[in-house]
Amino acid sequence: MSVRSLSPAAAYARQQAGALLIDVRAAHEQALGMAEGALGIVREDLLKDPAAHLPDHDAEILLLCQTGARSLACVQALQALGYRNLASVEGGTRAWEAGALPMRKPDIDADFGERYSRHLRLPEVGLDGQKKLEAARVLLVGAGGLGAPAAFYLAAAGIGHLRIADDDVVDRSNLQRQILHADARIGMPKVESAAIALSALNPRTRIEPVRERVAAGNVELLLEGVDVVLDGGDNFPVRYLLNDACVHLGKPLVHGAVHRFEGQVSVFDAGRRRGQAPCYRCLFPEPPPAEAAPNCAEAGVLGVLPGVIGLLQAAEAIKLVLGIGESLAGRLLQFDALAMRFREFRVEPDPQCPVCAPDRAFTGYPDYMALCAGAD
């Protein structure tokens, strides 16, 4: 049986004469704009129970998708079910819009639609998800090796507010891996350098530079109002302090660490899921002494390694904001750059954890600097 096709202009004329125009695209596609007056019925729903939507087999029905392929197939399926007056719109919504025919558009500006177009086409993100990203507030601790790639992709993804805490300045030795910074900005505070680079990439993201070292006296203020915390630091006192604060305040913590040629990443979400998800101290109960944990300046690090781990951290943060996929909560992902191998380990919540055990009350922040230094 032949399938009737109409140009967008001809379909519009038939619609004005009383034909029913149906957009059969997925809901996230419809949310980005539909032909004016079209009825949105997802193709799968329409074909699952056509009679519920189209009780009259003789009514004139025009089907529209993005480029014309899905609507054509849908016409064929409905013809086989006895519908006699169907047509597919050639070129779909794309051709309809190109022909300057009336469209019903969402209330977003042109920059938003163009900048995030690839996200908007993902059913798991779409317009609602992108608006979630734009409303999100993320704390990034450290604008160095891990924070640099993570910050670039968080800003590029459309995180609306990115608070970056770091008290260091850009050094020439940083440039081998800290891609936020540039030779011309050596000596500049890292948070200021980061704000320059990120604002140039995406002026829609508000960058809040905080030139401070994370400590017990300011950690809760830094976490105030944020949805996700990303640890891009390079020392254990900050790592343990962030963990304790995130558990106490109910914030998910995206952990990352690198050493020479190896890195690891995980999500610690015990603050929101006590007894179900572990915290950092379930994995490492006590901070190590300073001599057992050399930093990158002492041990060295392959320049691309923090890029790999930082990107994974950014991916986890974006998933947490959107509420999609399976996070790394309860899993530790290790990466060996020399072997080019990932390994995954389960991490269970410790019922005796000094921080996140279900019956454990918050008793304040220990002096992790002294603990790591081996002080009494």
Side-chain angles (χ1 to χ4, degrees):
M1 183 182 297
S2 63
V3 176
R4 185 164 67 110
S5 295
L6 294 176
S7 69
Y12 177 62
R14 294 308 309 151
Q15 180 195 27
Q16 298 307 298
L20 178 61
L21 180 64
I22 298 178
D23 187 330
V24 298
R25 297 176 300 160
H28 74 281
E29 296 175 287
Q30 295 173 5
L32 298 179
M34 294 173 59
E36 188 67 50
L39 178 64
I41 306 176
V42 176
R43 178 182 58 170
E44 290 75 13
D45 294 339
L46 179 60
L47 295 180
K48 183 178 180 181
D49 189 5
H53 304 285
L54 306 174
D56 185 353
H57 282 56
D58 292 311
E60 184 176 10
I61 309 295
L62 312 177
L63 300 184
L64 179 71
C65 65
Q66 187 68 17
T67 60
R70 282 175 285 176
S71 59
L72 198 65
C74 199
V75 166
Q76 292 173 325
L78 290 173
Q79 283 181 338
L81 295 173
Y83 288 88
R84 292 175 280 274
N85 195 1
L86 301 166
S88 173
V89 180
E90 296 171 352
T93 304
R94 186 174 297 171
W96 184 285
E97 187 171 10
L101 296 172
M103 291 284 295
R104 185 169 72 248
K105 289 279 198 173
D107 185 20
I108 58 175
D109 60 80
D111 178 86
F112 183 99
E114 186 175 358
R115 183 180 297 273
Y116 304 126
S117 63
R118 301 308 188 267
H119 270 179
L120 297 173
R121 287 177 169 83
L122 291 172
E124 296 83 357
V125 183
L127 182 57
D128 288 343
Q130 193 60 50
K131 287 184 175 180
K132 282 184 183 179
L133 293 173
E134 191 169 59
R137 299 167 63 91
V138 173
L139 169 64
L140 173 58
V141 175
L146 295 171
F152 264 130
Y153 274 94
L154 290 173
I159 293 295
H161 188 120
L162 189 55
R163 181 179 295 160
I164 306 176
D166 196 310
D167 70 335
D168 202 2
V169 298
V170 179
D171 182 83
R172 184 167 280 107
S173 66
N174 301 150
L175 304 182
Q176 162 250 19
R177 64 202 177 281
Q178 298 181 19
I179 59 172
L180 264 177
H181 311 301
D183 194 78
R185 298 199 292 273
I186 289 173
M188 180 182 292
K190 286 184 178 178
V191 292
E192 293 182 19
S193 174
I196 291 171
L198 298 173
S199 296
L201 174 66
N202 187 358
R204 300 184 72 99
T205 294
R206 182 192 168 196
I207 308 301
E208 181 188 351
V210 181
R211 193 183 176 190
E212 295 179 10
R213 177 177 290 274
V214 179
N218 68 357
V219 66
E220 293 195 2
L221 186 61
L222 288 171
L223 266 68
E224 185 177 351
V226 303
D227 302 294
V228 178
V229 178
L230 193 150
D231 178 12
D234 64 354
N235 65 83
F236 280 97
V238 168
R239 198 165 291 155
Y240 278 85
L241 181 60
L242 280 178
N243 174 76
D244 291 5
C246 286
V247 171
H248 176 51
L249 300 176
K251 311 285 186 181
L253 173 65
V254 183
H255 159 74
V258 293
H259 179 71
R260 292 174 58 81
F261 298 96
E262 297 183 348
Q264 63 186 31
V265 60
S266 188
V267 170
F268 297 110
D269 206 2
R272 299 187 303 175
R273 300 166 54 198
R274 289 246 181 170
Q276 300 175 346
C279 79
Y280 185 73
R281 290 192 67 174
C282 294
L283 180 62
F284 301 111
E286 300 297 331
E291 64 271 13
N295 60 26
C296 293
E298 298 165 327
V301 63
L302 183 68
V304 299
L305 177 64
V308 175
I309 301 302
L311 293 182
L312 292 173
Q313 288 182 275
E316 288 299 292
I318 290 167
K319 285 162 50 187
L320 286 166
V321 169
L322 292 172
I324 62 173
E326 180 183 357
S327 84
L328 280 172
R331 297 181 289 151
L332 180 72
L333 187 64
Q334 290 189 336
F335 173 58
D336 182 339
L338 288 180
M340 196 51 66
R341 181 176 294 118
F342 285 93
R343 294 182 297 172
E344 182 180 299
F345 301 90
R346 297 297 304 179
V347 182
E348 300 293 339
D350 180 1
Q352 304 302 317
C353 177
V355 174
C356 76
D359 59 350
R360 188 77 52 161
F362 178 69
T363 58
Y365 300 110
D367 186 348
Y368 285 116
M369 289 293 293
L371 288 173
C372 289
D376 294 331

